[in-house]
Amino acid sequence: MRRQLALFVPLAAALLWAARPAAAAEPFPKPQVSVVVSTAAAGAHPDLRTTIGTPTGLAFQQVTITSPAGGSVAADADIADGTIVGRLDAKSTTNGGAGAACSTPVSFTVPNRKETANVASPEYPAYLRTVAPGAHRLRLVADVSPSPHVPLLVNYLFDIDPATNAAVMRAVVGDPTAAPTTFTFCTPQTSTTTLFGVTPSGAPLLTSPAVPGARTFAFAFTSSPDANGVRYTQTVQATATVGPVQYARLAAPTPAAAAAPPSRTIIASVPLQAPSAGSGPRGARLPVWPLATVAMLGAALAAAGITKRRTGGMK
Protein backbone atom coordinates (compact mmCIF):
# COMPACT_ATOMS: atom_id res chain seq x y z
CA MET A 1 0.00 0.00 0.00
CA ARG A 2 2.80 2.39 0.87
CA ARG A 3 4.49 1.61 -2.43
CA GLN A 4 1.26 2.37 -4.27
CA LEU A 5 0.96 5.70 -2.42
CA ALA A 6 4.59 6.50 -3.20
CA LEU A 7 3.85 6.01 -6.89
CA PHE A 8 0.48 7.79 -6.80
CA VAL A 9 1.57 11.04 -5.12
CA PRO A 10 4.09 12.18 -7.78
CA LEU A 11 1.75 10.98 -10.53
CA ALA A 12 -1.11 13.01 -9.06
CA ALA A 13 1.11 16.05 -8.72
CA ALA A 14 2.15 15.72 -12.36
CA LEU A 15 -1.46 15.43 -13.47
CA LEU A 16 -2.47 18.49 -11.43
CA TRP A 17 0.40 20.51 -12.92
CA ALA A 18 -0.57 19.44 -16.44
CA ALA A 19 -4.16 20.43 -15.76
CA ARG A 20 -3.23 23.99 -14.68
CA PRO A 21 -4.28 26.63 -17.25
CA ALA A 22 -1.44 28.10 -19.30
CA ALA A 23 -0.30 31.56 -18.21
CA ALA A 24 -1.92 34.28 -20.28
CA ALA A 25 0.34 36.07 -22.71
CA GLU A 26 1.47 39.49 -21.54
CA PRO A 27 -0.75 42.07 -23.29
CA PHE A 28 2.14 44.48 -23.89
CA PRO A 29 5.58 42.82 -23.74
CA LYS A 30 8.69 45.00 -23.58
CA PRO A 31 9.44 46.36 -27.06
CA GLN A 32 12.85 45.58 -28.52
CA VAL A 33 14.98 48.70 -29.00
CA SER A 34 18.35 49.61 -30.45
CA VAL A 35 20.14 52.94 -30.98
CA VAL A 36 22.97 53.68 -33.41
CA VAL A 37 24.88 56.98 -33.64
CA SER A 38 27.24 57.91 -36.46
CA THR A 39 29.80 59.31 -34.01
CA ALA A 40 30.29 59.33 -30.25
CA ALA A 41 32.61 62.35 -30.24
CA ALA A 42 31.93 64.87 -27.49
CA GLY A 43 29.89 67.86 -28.67
CA ALA A 44 29.36 66.33 -32.13
CA HIS A 45 26.19 66.42 -34.22
CA PRO A 46 25.61 62.73 -34.85
CA ASP A 47 23.07 61.16 -37.13
CA LEU A 48 20.81 58.99 -34.98
CA ARG A 49 18.96 55.79 -35.84
CA THR A 50 16.44 54.30 -33.40
CA THR A 51 14.78 50.95 -34.10
CA ILE A 52 11.78 49.71 -32.13
CA GLY A 53 10.26 46.27 -32.57
CA THR A 54 6.99 44.99 -31.11
CA PRO A 55 6.68 41.35 -32.27
CA THR A 56 3.59 40.44 -30.22
CA GLY A 57 0.87 41.97 -28.08
CA LEU A 58 -0.45 45.52 -28.34
CA ALA A 59 1.22 48.15 -30.48
CA PHE A 60 2.59 51.21 -28.71
CA GLN A 61 0.89 54.57 -29.15
CA GLN A 62 3.32 56.80 -27.28
CA VAL A 63 6.99 56.62 -26.32
CA THR A 64 9.16 59.06 -24.39
CA ILE A 65 12.90 58.80 -25.03
CA THR A 66 15.33 60.49 -22.66
CA SER A 67 18.83 61.05 -24.03
CA PRO A 68 22.06 61.27 -22.01
CA ALA A 69 22.32 64.36 -19.83
CA GLY A 70 24.09 67.31 -21.40
CA GLY A 71 22.92 66.79 -24.97
CA SER A 72 20.82 69.27 -26.89
CA VAL A 73 18.41 69.64 -29.77
CA ALA A 74 17.57 72.53 -32.10
CA ALA A 75 14.84 74.99 -31.19
CA ASP A 76 11.74 75.78 -33.24
CA ALA A 77 13.20 79.01 -34.67
CA ASP A 78 16.44 77.30 -35.80
CA ILE A 79 14.88 75.29 -38.64
CA ALA A 80 12.34 76.37 -41.24
CA ASP A 81 8.97 74.63 -41.24
CA GLY A 82 8.75 71.89 -43.85
CA THR A 83 12.47 71.04 -43.72
CA ILE A 84 13.13 67.32 -44.05
CA VAL A 85 15.33 66.31 -41.13
CA GLY A 86 14.97 62.53 -41.15
CA ARG A 87 12.94 59.54 -42.26
CA LEU A 88 10.71 56.85 -40.83
CA ASP A 89 10.97 53.32 -42.22
CA ALA A 90 8.39 50.87 -40.91
CA LYS A 91 6.91 47.42 -41.36
CA SER A 92 3.57 46.85 -39.67
CA THR A 93 0.44 44.77 -39.65
CA THR A 94 -2.88 46.51 -40.26
CA ASN A 95 -6.53 45.62 -40.60
CA GLY A 96 -6.50 46.98 -44.16
CA GLY A 97 -9.80 48.80 -43.75
CA ALA A 98 -13.16 48.74 -41.99
CA GLY A 99 -14.21 45.40 -40.55
CA ALA A 100 -11.16 43.46 -41.73
CA ALA A 101 -8.95 41.29 -39.53
CA CYS A 102 -5.65 42.82 -38.49
CA SER A 103 -3.50 40.64 -40.72
CA THR A 104 -2.43 42.81 -43.67
CA PRO A 105 1.35 43.47 -43.74
CA VAL A 106 2.54 46.83 -45.08
CA SER A 107 5.93 48.50 -45.46
CA PHE A 108 6.44 52.23 -45.93
CA THR A 109 9.01 55.01 -45.83
CA VAL A 110 8.06 58.63 -45.15
CA PRO A 111 10.10 61.75 -44.42
CA ASN A 112 10.33 63.39 -41.02
CA ARG A 113 9.70 67.11 -41.40
CA LYS A 114 10.15 69.96 -38.97
CA GLU A 115 6.80 71.64 -38.30
CA THR A 116 5.74 74.47 -36.03
CA ALA A 117 5.90 74.00 -32.27
CA ASN A 118 3.75 77.08 -31.70
CA VAL A 119 0.76 75.75 -29.76
CA ALA A 120 -1.33 78.75 -30.88
CA SER A 121 -0.80 78.01 -34.56
CA PRO A 122 -3.73 76.58 -36.55
CA GLU A 123 -1.21 74.08 -37.93
CA TYR A 124 -0.60 72.66 -34.45
CA PRO A 125 -2.82 69.59 -33.79
CA ALA A 126 -5.41 70.35 -31.12
CA TYR A 127 -5.11 66.89 -29.54
CA LEU A 128 -1.45 67.56 -28.64
CA ARG A 129 -2.62 70.30 -26.31
CA THR A 130 -4.46 67.55 -24.41
CA VAL A 131 -2.00 64.64 -24.47
CA ALA A 132 1.18 66.76 -24.25
CA PRO A 133 0.14 70.14 -22.85
CA GLY A 134 2.41 73.15 -22.74
CA ALA A 135 5.04 74.61 -25.04
CA HIS A 136 7.71 72.43 -26.63
CA ARG A 137 11.16 73.20 -27.98
CA LEU A 138 10.80 71.44 -31.33
CA ARG A 139 8.23 69.39 -33.27
CA LEU A 140 8.89 66.93 -36.07
CA VAL A 141 6.15 65.14 -38.00
CA ALA A 142 5.95 61.95 -40.06
CA ASP A 143 2.76 61.58 -42.10
CA VAL A 144 1.81 57.88 -42.20
CA SER A 145 -1.80 58.41 -43.29
CA PRO A 146 -3.00 55.34 -45.22
CA SER A 147 -5.36 57.57 -47.22
CA PRO A 148 -6.60 61.18 -47.22
CA HIS A 149 -9.73 59.92 -45.44
CA VAL A 150 -7.73 58.73 -42.42
CA PRO A 151 -5.17 61.37 -41.35
CA LEU A 152 -2.53 59.72 -39.19
CA LEU A 153 0.52 61.66 -38.06
CA VAL A 154 3.45 60.71 -35.85
CA ASN A 155 4.36 63.83 -33.85
CA TYR A 156 7.81 64.02 -32.24
CA LEU A 157 7.95 66.65 -29.46
CA PHE A 158 11.36 67.64 -28.08
CA ASP A 159 12.22 69.40 -24.82
CA ILE A 160 15.21 69.89 -22.51
CA ASP A 161 14.72 68.57 -18.98
CA PRO A 162 15.72 71.49 -16.72
CA ALA A 163 16.67 69.14 -13.87
CA THR A 164 19.05 66.87 -15.82
CA ASN A 165 19.79 68.97 -18.93
CA ALA A 166 18.87 65.96 -21.04
CA ALA A 167 16.99 66.13 -24.33
CA VAL A 168 13.61 64.40 -24.07
CA MET A 169 11.61 63.32 -27.11
CA ARG A 170 7.98 62.24 -26.91
CA ALA A 171 6.47 60.51 -29.94
CA VAL A 172 2.68 60.41 -30.26
CA VAL A 173 1.20 58.09 -32.91
CA GLY A 174 -2.05 59.45 -34.27
CA ASP A 175 -4.69 61.08 -32.09
CA PRO A 176 -4.92 59.10 -28.82
CA THR A 177 -8.10 60.99 -27.93
CA ALA A 178 -9.95 59.89 -31.08
CA ALA A 179 -8.20 56.97 -32.74
CA PRO A 180 -9.82 55.88 -36.04
CA THR A 181 -12.05 52.84 -35.58
CA THR A 182 -11.79 51.77 -39.21
CA PHE A 183 -8.00 51.52 -39.43
CA THR A 184 -5.61 50.09 -36.87
CA PHE A 185 -1.94 49.21 -36.58
CA CYS A 186 -1.13 46.00 -34.74
CA THR A 187 1.80 43.67 -34.22
CA PRO A 188 4.21 42.44 -35.47
CA GLN A 189 5.57 45.92 -36.09
CA THR A 190 9.04 47.40 -36.57
CA SER A 191 9.92 51.06 -37.02
CA THR A 192 13.25 52.75 -37.66
CA THR A 193 13.51 56.50 -37.16
CA THR A 194 16.57 58.22 -38.59
CA LEU A 195 17.37 61.80 -37.64
CA PHE A 196 20.07 63.78 -39.40
CA GLY A 197 22.54 65.46 -37.06
CA VAL A 198 22.71 68.55 -39.29
CA THR A 199 19.84 69.94 -41.35
CA PRO A 200 20.09 70.75 -45.09
CA SER A 201 20.62 74.42 -44.20
CA GLY A 202 23.60 73.52 -42.00
CA ALA A 203 21.87 74.06 -38.66
CA PRO A 204 22.64 71.39 -36.05
CA LEU A 205 19.62 69.28 -35.19
CA LEU A 206 21.20 67.09 -32.52
CA THR A 207 24.20 67.80 -30.28
CA SER A 208 25.98 65.20 -28.14
CA PRO A 209 27.02 65.85 -24.55
CA ALA A 210 30.30 67.73 -24.20
CA VAL A 211 31.93 64.81 -22.41
CA PRO A 212 32.84 61.41 -23.87
CA GLY A 213 31.34 58.16 -22.63
CA ALA A 214 28.59 55.64 -23.26
CA ARG A 215 25.33 57.13 -24.55
CA THR A 216 22.43 55.44 -22.79
CA PHE A 217 18.84 56.20 -23.75
CA ALA A 218 15.77 55.49 -21.60
CA PHE A 219 12.48 54.51 -23.32
CA ALA A 220 9.06 54.72 -21.64
CA PHE A 221 6.31 53.13 -23.76
CA THR A 222 2.53 53.43 -23.49
CA SER A 223 0.47 50.88 -25.40
CA SER A 224 -2.63 51.41 -27.46
CA PRO A 225 -5.78 50.51 -25.48
CA ASP A 226 -6.86 46.89 -25.25
CA ALA A 227 -10.44 45.69 -25.79
CA ASN A 228 -11.38 47.05 -22.35
CA GLY A 229 -9.74 50.43 -22.92
CA VAL A 230 -6.78 49.64 -20.66
CA ARG A 231 -3.31 50.92 -21.60
CA TYR A 232 -0.05 49.37 -20.40
CA THR A 233 3.45 50.78 -19.89
CA GLN A 234 6.95 49.39 -20.28
CA THR A 235 10.40 50.92 -19.72
CA VAL A 236 13.54 49.89 -21.60
CA GLN A 237 17.13 51.16 -21.65
CA ALA A 238 19.50 50.97 -24.61
CA THR A 239 23.13 52.00 -24.91
CA ALA A 240 23.94 53.41 -28.33
CA THR A 241 26.49 51.74 -30.56
CA VAL A 242 28.63 53.66 -33.04
CA GLY A 243 28.12 52.57 -36.61
CA PRO A 244 26.77 53.41 -40.05
CA VAL A 245 23.63 55.54 -40.08
CA GLN A 246 22.42 55.44 -43.67
CA TYR A 247 20.01 57.78 -45.36
CA ALA A 248 18.68 58.66 -48.77
CA ARG A 249 20.27 61.55 -50.62
CA LEU A 250 18.18 64.23 -52.29
CA ALA A 251 16.06 62.76 -55.07
CA ALA A 252 14.03 64.60 -57.70
CA PRO A 253 10.26 64.14 -57.40
CA THR A 254 8.42 62.07 -59.94
CA PRO A 255 6.49 64.09 -62.57
CA ALA A 256 3.17 63.18 -60.95
CA ALA A 257 4.32 64.51 -57.60
CA ALA A 258 4.41 68.18 -58.59
CA ALA A 259 0.66 68.67 -58.17
CA ALA A 260 0.41 66.70 -54.93
CA PRO A 261 0.35 68.40 -51.51
CA PRO A 262 3.84 68.38 -49.91
CA SER A 263 2.94 65.89 -47.17
CA ARG A 264 1.47 63.45 -49.70
CA THR A 265 4.24 63.78 -52.31
CA ILE A 266 5.29 60.44 -53.74
CA ILE A 267 8.97 60.49 -54.62
CA ALA A 268 11.06 58.19 -56.72
CA SER A 269 12.78 55.61 -54.54
CA VAL A 270 16.52 56.09 -54.17
CA PRO A 271 19.13 53.73 -52.73
CA LEU A 272 20.68 54.38 -49.36
CA GLN A 273 24.08 56.00 -49.44
CA ALA A 274 27.32 55.40 -47.61
CA PRO A 275 27.44 55.81 -43.81
CA SER A 276 27.20 59.36 -42.56
CA ALA A 277 29.81 61.03 -40.41
CA GLY A 278 27.18 63.25 -38.87
CA SER A 279 26.99 65.86 -41.60
CA GLY A 280 23.40 65.01 -42.53
CA PRO A 281 21.98 65.01 -46.06
CA ARG A 282 21.22 68.07 -48.05
CA GLY A 283 17.56 67.17 -48.04
CA ALA A 284 15.80 63.95 -48.90
CA ARG A 285 12.37 63.07 -50.21
CA LEU A 286 11.27 59.55 -49.75
CA PRO A 287 8.63 57.15 -51.07
CA VAL A 288 5.46 56.79 -49.02
CA TRP A 289 2.98 53.90 -48.84
CA PRO A 290 2.90 51.59 -51.87
CA LEU A 291 0.28 52.86 -54.32
CA ALA A 292 -1.52 49.51 -54.37
CA THR A 293 -1.89 49.62 -50.59
CA VAL A 294 -3.16 53.20 -50.66
CA ALA A 295 -5.70 52.32 -53.36
CA MET A 296 -6.92 49.28 -51.46
CA LEU A 297 -7.27 51.13 -48.16
CA GLY A 298 -8.77 54.19 -49.78
CA ALA A 299 -11.44 52.10 -51.52
CA ALA A 300 -12.31 50.27 -48.31
CA LEU A 301 -12.51 53.46 -46.29
CA ALA A 302 -14.54 55.28 -48.94
CA ALA A 303 -16.97 52.35 -49.03
CA ALA A 304 -17.33 52.67 -45.27
CA GLY A 305 -18.32 56.31 -45.68
CA ILE A 306 -15.28 57.78 -43.92
CA THR A 307 -15.12 61.51 -44.60
CA LYS A 308 -13.13 62.77 -41.61
CA ARG A 309 -10.89 65.69 -42.55
CA ARG A 310 -7.39 66.31 -41.30
CA THR A 311 -7.05 68.67 -38.34
CA GLY A 312 -3.69 70.38 -37.81
CA GLY A 313 -0.36 68.84 -38.74
CA MET A 314 1.25 69.38 -42.09
CA LYS A 315 -0.55 70.93 -45.02
Side-chain angles (χ1 to χ4, degrees), residues 60 95 97 110 289 303:
F60 73 91
N95 65 339
V110 297
W289 291 60

Side-chain angles (χ1 to χ4, degrees), residues 221-306:
F221 292 92
T222 301
S223 76
S224 56
D226 65 11
N228 297 316
V230 178
R231 298 177 187 271
Y232 303 84
T233 60
Q234 289 283 10
T235 57
V236 182
Q237 285 196 332
T239 299
T241 59
V242 179
V245 177
Q246 298 176 315
Y247 50 77
R249 293 285 186 180
L250 179 65
T254 59
S263 65
R264 305 299 308 162
T265 300
I266 300 173
I267 305 300
S269 180
V270 294
L272 296 178
Q273 302 296 317
S276 165
S279 60
R282 294 297 170 257
R285 295 193 176 190
L286 308 166
V288 295
W289 291 60
L291 289 177
T293 302
V294 173
M296 178 189 70
L297 295 177
L301 294 165
I306 306 303

Side-chain angles (χ1 to χ4, degrees), residues 76 115-130 132-139 157 159 312:
D76 184 59
E115 296 295 342
T116 183
N118 179 3
V119 295
S121 170
E123 298 300 314
Y124 192 87
Y127 59 82
L128 290 180
R129 301 186 187 102
T130 300
H136 300 282
R137 182 179 177 89
L138 182 73
R139 181 170 74 101
L157 302 173
D159 294 288

